[in-house]
Amino acid sequence: MAMLQCFLLHCILFISASAAKVQTKVTDNPADQLVAALNSNRTANKLSSLYSNPGLACLALQYIKAYQGACKEVGGPDGKKPAESEFAETFAPNCGVQVSSLAQITGRFLACQSKYAEPSEAFNDVLIRNSKSLDILYSKNHTEVGAAVSSSDGGGPYFWCVLFSNGKQKSSFSTGGVEPKVSRPGCFSGSNDQCNGANTLSQTIHLWTIIIGASVALLYALGI
């Protein structure tokens, strides 16, 4: 009996450590990593890095949500895009961004596919596809950037959006000194918010389910 109890206890400790490891991944924000990859590419080409504006990034997430998971409407012959009026009428209020602080959008990237891609892969292979993409990336008109990554109901398709602006740092896309409103699913850059890439949250939930089951087994073995 003592050996069984010891074995079960070790199982619980092992699984708990695994769950903690996965939980750590949840704090990684792929949108921040996407901005980092973008700025690294710009500076490697002797261009200035762009200020990561959380208000602008929140608008990028709202831009994604406007598609309501319709991946086929992103690019191509059937491609559509939200009306420019949506920025002031819908996106800004949903983010808590002051409409009076909206600045010009000087460029945008938007992509969607069924398979999740890590930020560096999304930047190199999903968003940057042709010379037009490079022209947008290397434009000297940009001063700020905001990125967002989202899925549909926790699974594919996966959307990536990057918005560029020529706004002034810390005055454009302002939320009045408070954090932009967070909405799920999805992540946006500069938000100081715990966020996760594909499937890490579901993995955490699954592992904690195992922990609970193992704990019940241990309690039963102990006769409690």
Side-chain angles (χ1 to χ4, degrees):
M1 178 63 72
M3 291 182 63
L4 175 60
Q5 293 172 0
C6 184
F7 171 75
L8 289 172
L9 182 59
H10 277 85
C11 286
I12 291 174
L13 292 173
F14 173 78
I15 297 169
S16 297
S18 300
K21 183 178 180 181
V22 173
Q23 185 66 39
T24 300
K25 293 182 180 179
V26 176
T27 64
D28 293 341
N29 189 331
D32 280 332
Q33 295 167 14
L34 186 57
V35 168
L38 182 153
N39 273 329
S40 176
N41 190 284
R42 280 179 59 93
T43 55
N45 285 274
K46 300 182 178 180
L47 293 167
S48 61
S49 62
L50 304 175
Y51 170 63
S52 179
N53 188 314
L56 179 59
C58 185
L59 298 185
L61 181 57
Q62 292 299 316
Y63 197 90
I64 288 174
K65 291 181 182 297
Y67 284 86
Q68 298 182 329
C71 199
K72 65 180 180 180
E73 294 183 0
V74 176
D78 299 323
K80 300 178 182 179
K81 65 178 183 179
E84 294 300 311
S85 60
E86 289 292 295
F87 280 90
E89 295 174 0
T90 305
F91 302 163
N94 286 349
C95 289
V97 169
Q98 298 170 354
V99 174
S100 60
S101 69
L102 294 179
Q104 181 183 2
I105 301 298
T106 52
R108 70 195 75 186
F109 292 144
L110 181 68
C112 177
Q113 65 179 29
S114 59
K115 179 184 176 182
Y116 181 76
E118 294 298 329
S120 59
E121 179 187 353
F123 174 73
N124 291 313
D125 301 332
V126 180
L127 294 174
I128 306 299
R129 294 188 173 185
N130 49 42
S131 60
K132 183 179 179 180
S133 300
L134 291 175
D135 289 342
I136 294 172
L137 174 64
Y138 298 142
S139 173
K140 295 182 179 179
N141 294 327
H142 310 322
T143 57
E144 301 182 307
V145 64
V149 182
S150 186
S151 61
S152 298
D153 298 322
Y158 296 92
F159 289 79
W160 294 265
C161 180
V162 179
L163 296 179
F164 299 92
S165 174
N166 61 359
K168 295 182 179 180
Q169 182 174 334
K170 296 184 180 180
S171 63
S172 57
F173 307 100
S174 173
T175 55
V178 299
E179 294 289 333
K181 296 178 182 177
V182 174
S183 58
R184 293 285 187 258
C187 315
F188 60 90
S189 56
S191 62
N192 297 318
D193 176 52
Q194 290 188 347
C195 201
N196 63 289
N199 299 323
T200 54
L201 184 57
S202 62
Q203 289 173 2
T204 303
I205 294 171
H206 177 65
L207 281 171
W208 280 112
T209 300
I210 296 174
I211 291 172
I212 292 171
S215 299
V216 171
L218 177 60
L219 292 172
Y220 178 80
L222 293 172
I224 299 176

